[in-house]
Amino acid sequence: MIGAIEAGGTKMICAVGRSWREVRDAKKYVVTTTAPDETTTTVMEWFASQHEITPLGAIGVASFGPIDFATNSIARSTPKEAWRGVSWRDAVTNYLGPIALGFDTDTSAAGLAEWHWGAAQRRRVVVYVTIGTGIGGGLIIDGEALHGLLHPEFGHMFVPRQRGDEFAGTCPTHGDCLEGLACGLAVNRRWNGSSEQLAPEHAAWELESDYLALAMVNIIMVASPEVIVLGGGVMKVEGLMEKVRTKTRDLVAGYIAKDALSSEIDTYLVTPGLGSSSGVVGAFVLGARACRNSA
Ligand SMILES: [Zn+2]
């Protein structure tokens, strides 16, 4: 039995299961992300109660980032000040004792889930990007999430500001990086409304698709993925994916002469095969791999 935590900045989604399907279909235990002590206590007490019913072989934490792999904690550079340095290793060990722990970013984990069972199966180089409250991404190569100096931070690439856009940007570190200009929070602030309330034909989505297409081209030119999976709440806006596909194809402009970037763009930029379950199933992947490695 594996415990899976999708540890997001607004909520934590928890599940246990013996297989990815069990985790996908399980009734989730959802905790609103508040102060670290309060949140991790609520989350870990639930896993401790599950552990008493059926002992867990490992736990996987798919966390918002940036994260620190050496200590299995939230990095000190996170804009969520209260969470700086918070250790998932300590939180898990305090409640479950010495148990195998798999740890990665929520987006790398979601990318792994999509590689295993979703929209990116059997692809060698896969990028998963989520456009939600923030923007993040993972790069999966041969079924492994890329870790280098740290881990990729797709949301903090820079894209050229579009003419007429004078919005300062929401990123506390960079201002107008991609996340600062195009995350859900940026859409809300720029247009003084919730992104769910903006009609599909609102000018917001022309600008949004401009920025996302620029980001896609940067990703394509740098990493040459075989497929890009685009998840997150913002991508559910009607017609947005089509706009991003068309603009990405036009910006690539045939420079990479592949059908995937012209006539087959619809199967190149895709929605998650696992829907909104990619993150928690990804946490299961991290846990299952940690369990196997500890055996
Ligand atoms: Zn930034």
Side-chain angles (χ1 to χ4, degrees):
M1 189 71 101
I2 302 293
I5 310 173
E6 181 184 0
T10 52
K11 62 185 175 182
M12 310 253 159
I13 300 173
C14 312
V16 297
R18 288 180 185 79
S19 69
W20 72 273
R21 278 197 179 84
E22 274 188 30
V23 167
R24 180 193 61 185
D25 300 338
K27 183 164 165 41
K28 310 298 188 295
Y29 181 65
V30 180
V31 176
T32 302
T33 305
T34 55
D37 278 355
E38 183 181 41
T39 311
T40 55
T41 298
T42 311
V43 165
M44 292 315 304
E45 280 178 349
W46 184 78
F47 278 102
S49 69
Q50 298 296 313
H51 191 54
E52 270 182 32
I53 301 165
T54 310
L56 299 172
I59 207 152
V61 179
S63 175
F64 68 82
I67 61 174
D68 179 353
F69 293 111
T71 55
N72 291 331
S73 60
I74 311 289
R76 297 197 176 274
S77 56
T78 183
K80 296 174 183 46
E81 286 184 24
W83 285 84
R84 288 178 179 172
V86 168
S87 165
W88 277 103
R89 163 54 70 197
D90 290 350
V92 168
T93 307
N94 287 347
Y95 285 87
L96 303 178
I99 185 174
L101 169 68
F103 187 64
D104 211 322
T105 64
D106 45 4
T107 48
S108 287
L112 289 172
E114 288 295 318
W115 180 82
H116 272 286
W117 306 293
Q121 293 176 48
R122 295 177 296 281
R123 304 301 185 89
R124 285 198 54 232
V125 180
V126 173
V127 166
Y128 174 91
V129 180
T130 181
I131 298 104
T133 310
I135 297 180
L139 174 50
I140 310 300
I141 301 174
D142 292 329
E144 299 288 342
L146 180 75
H147 296 168
L149 189 61
L150 187 62
H151 50 74
E153 280 286 358
F154 286 96
H156 299 269
M157 72 172 81
F158 287 84
V159 289
R161 181 180 277 280
Q162 296 299 281
R163 196 171 298 155
D165 182 18
E166 287 169 7
F167 180 65
T170 59
C171 177
T173 307
H174 309 118
D176 60 357
C177 61
L178 174 67
E179 178 172 282
L181 291 172
C183 69
L185 181 65
V187 175
N188 295 351
R189 290 212 184 138
R190 182 190 282 110
W191 302 99
N192 296 317
S194 159
S195 54
E196 293 93 60
Q197 293 163 351
L198 299 173
E201 59 277 10
H202 193 283
W205 306 120
E206 276 313 318
L207 186 60
E208 181 71 4
S209 56
D210 286 341
Y211 286 128
L212 295 181
L214 287 162
M216 292 305 110
V217 173
N218 290 344
I219 291 167
I220 291 162
M221 296 306 173
V222 172
S224 204
E226 293 173 9
V227 63
I228 300 177
V229 183
L230 284 171
V234 172
M235 288 313 299
K236 292 183 178 142
V237 170
E238 192 187 322
L240 181 60
M241 179 67 104
E242 285 68 30
K243 284 189 173 73
V244 175
R245 284 171 176 153
T246 303
K247 291 178 182 182
T248 300
R249 187 193 62 201
D250 292 350
L251 285 168
V252 170
Y255 188 76
I256 294 173
K258 291 282 183 182
D259 291 345
L261 295 172
S262 54
S263 59
E264 293 173 11
I265 192 86
D266 289 2
T267 56
Y268 183 76
L269 293 177
V270 296
T271 52
L274 298 169
S276 55
S277 300
S278 303
V280 70
V281 171
F284 169 81
V285 175
L286 302 178
R289 289 183 175 189
C291 188
R292 193 181 61 208
N293 292 340
S294 69

